[in-house]
Amino acid sequence: DTDNEAAVDASYGYPYTGLEVHLTLWRPFLRFFIGGGLLFPVSGSEELSGNGWGTTARAGFEATLFQQLHAGIGYEMWQFKSLEAIENEITDTFQSFFLRIGWSYH
């Protein structure tokens, strides 16, 4: 919450298409991945109007430990563009770093 008039309540809806590539660096223990996508059309919440578009990108490393334990670290970015809010064009960028841990059953 803020008293700044430029701040709006934003939520987005979108379908997207993307491509992700995984490269094995040390079989079967270490993989690198990179990917990206296009979000189209992006529609906003009640304070946003019109349709825009967006992009997404992510990259990171995944490791297999003890044959069934998997861990990964990476970076992800989502960017929304060309939505309108009260006479202004809106762009939003969300960035995150992540750590994932999982277990697979064989």
Side-chain angles (χ1 to χ4, degrees):
D1 292 333
T2 183
D3 293 331
N4 187 339
E5 292 179 13
V8 296
D9 180 23
S11 61
Y12 302 98
Y14 51 86
Y16 75 96
T17 184
L19 177 65
E20 193 163 295
V21 176
H22 290 251
L23 177 64
T24 301
L25 301 174
W26 182 29
R27 186 173 291 226
F29 302 107
L30 185 62
R31 291 189 310 173
F32 168 75
F33 63 90
I34 188 167
L38 179 63
L39 315 170
F40 61 93
V42 173
S43 57
S45 65
E46 59 190 53
E47 291 188 37
L48 301 174
S49 63
N51 288 325
W53 59 281
T55 57
T56 180
R58 70 183 210 135
F61 290 94
E62 297 172 337
T64 302
L65 311 168
F66 311 115
Q67 294 182 346
Q68 293 178 309
L69 180 64
H70 305 275
I73 60 170
Y75 167 79
E76 188 170 44
M77 182 210 50
W78 294 77
Q79 188 168 40
F80 303 97
K81 299 180 180 187
S82 300
L83 293 157
E84 295 177 9
I86 313 168
E87 301 176 14
N88 295 319
E89 186 173 277
I90 298 294
T91 62
D92 260 344
T93 301
F94 298 93
Q95 300 182 57
S96 62
F97 289 96
F98 59 84
L99 170 64
R100 296 181 185 163
I101 298 175
W103 185 266
S104 63
Y105 295 96
H106 294 271

